[in-house]
Amino acid sequence: PVEKVHAMLREIDKIENADPMLCGTHGTYVTAGSPAFMAKMANHYSPLTWVDDLYAVEDDIFKVSVYDATGDIKNHTYLPLAEKFEKDNTIHMSANIWVDIMDKTADKGLAIQSLQKMFGVSYDETMAFGDFYNDEPLLKNAKYAFVMENAPDDLKEKYEYHTSSNKDSGVTKAIRQWVVDKL
């Protein structure tokens, strides 16, 4: 609901060096922010809609993302927003510079459970891959939960299976090793 999105934006406005992005059904919306944020947006996200005021966006927003390049995303952005919004939302650090806030029903774990049910696939038959904390709900629902080499060390310690980084085709390599080569 727009009221929830506006409440999130008001809290983000209080956090120095935190730049919000709204993800909606018709586009992704940003305003001019820090130079690092603007460079990241221009180089990695397309298409974008640059707006003067995020509060004026008229779209069904399904995710509020916050860019934080301070180097301390957990304490600087994640924890203050989690304190305010975790009760009614899913909040994850989705990279070392991003925090994502979504509805409780927008969860990778719920999504994989739905796919398992739809296709008649059990936990023991499921392989999943993750590289950051937002992938934990997904990983927890797969017997073969692979953590990428570029993941945080504490995440790698939690899961038995590991593969190369995203930049080194880790997903493809693991699928070949664990599935294709065994056929």
Side-chain angles (χ1 to χ4, degrees):
V2 69
E3 301 83 26
K4 285 178 78 172
V5 172
H6 288 182
M8 291 172 194
L9 289 172
R10 284 191 295 276
E11 288 303 313
I12 295 164
D13 287 343
K14 296 176 188 177
I15 302 172
E16 189 176 339
N17 297 315
D19 295 296
M21 174 173 72
L22 301 180
C23 301
T25 57
H26 299 291
T28 302
Y29 306 91
V30 294
T31 59
S34 69
F37 173 68
M38 292 175 69
K40 186 76 159 173
M41 295 297 94
N43 291 328
H44 296 286
Y45 292 91
S46 178
L48 284 174
T49 302
W50 294 85
V51 297
D52 292 327
D53 182 6
L54 290 175
Y55 292 91
V57 170
E58 293 183 13
D59 195 348
D60 294 320
I61 303 302
F62 57 83
K63 178 171 73 171
V64 176
S65 291
V66 185
Y67 176 83
D68 177 342
T70 64
D72 186 16
I73 193 166
K74 182 177 182 181
N75 293 307
H76 185 256
T77 302
Y78 171 76
L79 289 175
L81 293 175
E83 182 180 317
K84 291 280 186 181
F85 300 110
E86 193 167 48
K87 179 181 176 227
D88 298 320
N89 300 281
T90 298
I91 301 179
H92 292 291
M93 292 182 289
S94 59
N96 60 355
I97 56 172
W98 288 106
V99 172
D100 292 335
I101 309 170
M102 300 164 287
D103 186 82
K104 283 271 190 210
T105 61
D107 179 276
K108 292 180 181 185
L110 296 174
I112 198 168
Q113 288 172 11
S114 177
L115 289 170
Q116 288 167 327
K117 183 177 179 181
M118 183 185 309
F119 294 108
V121 175
S122 72
Y123 168 88
D124 290 336
E125 298 170 305
T126 303
M127 180 183 263
F129 299 86
D131 67 351
F132 219 75
Y133 303 110
N134 62 318
D135 295 318
E136 280 206 90
L138 173 73
L139 296 170
K140 288 177 181 177
N141 284 282
K143 178 176 181 177
Y144 301 98
F146 284 82
V147 179
M148 313 305 288
E149 179 58 36
N150 55 301
D153 288 340
D154 61 332
L155 192 61
K156 288 189 276 191
E157 291 172 9
K158 287 183 179 181
Y159 296 92
E160 176 181 353
Y161 301 101
H162 301 102
T163 190
S164 304
S165 76
N166 300 345
K167 294 178 182 178
D168 192 28
S169 303
V171 172
T172 303
K173 287 178 179 178
I175 291 171
R176 279 193 182 123
Q177 178 185 355
W178 285 84
V179 181
V180 176
D181 292 348
K182 293 185 182 217
L183 294 176

